[in-house]
Amino acid sequence: YCLTPKSNLSDLIYLTGLLNSRLLSFWFKKTFVATDKLFPYVRKSQLELVPISTNLSYKEKIVSLVINQQEEFSDDTQKQIDDLVYKLYGLLPEEIKIIEAVIY
C-alpha cells in the first residue's frame, strides 16, 4: 500500500512509529484478527479505524526516534517507541504486561 499524507511528512512518520509499536500491533490483531501469517496486510478501511492520538509532545518524540533509524528499528529504539506509545495511550503496567506477553 501507498500512503499519502494529507498535511505533512511528519504525520506519516508519526503513523509509521505508531503502527510499528507493540500496542497498535496488538490492537490491530485483536480488532481485525489477521490470520494470514504468510502475507499479512492492512486494508485502507482498517487503517482509517486506527486510534491515532494527536498529543504533540509525544508525536515529536516518536517522529524523532523514527527519523533517527536507518533501515530497521533497533531493540532499544523499539522499546523507546513502545514506552512512549504506552504513555501516550495511558496504559497501566498490567495492560503492558498482557500486550508484551502476546506480541513477543
Side-chain angles (χ1 to χ4, degrees), residues 22 69 72-82:
R22 286 185 172 90
Q69 291 303 293
E72 204 174 304
F73 289 152
S74 67
D75 289 343
D76 183 54
T77 301
Q78 181 66 55
K79 179 160 178 27
Q80 290 177 54
I81 291 172
D82 288 335

Side-chain angles (χ1 to χ4, degrees), residues 23 85-97 99:
L23 174 60
V85 173
Y86 293 148
K87 289 176 186 173
L88 175 66
Y89 287 92
L91 267 69
L92 300 172
E94 300 81 31
E95 295 168 320
I96 294 169
K97 286 180 186 176
I99 290 166

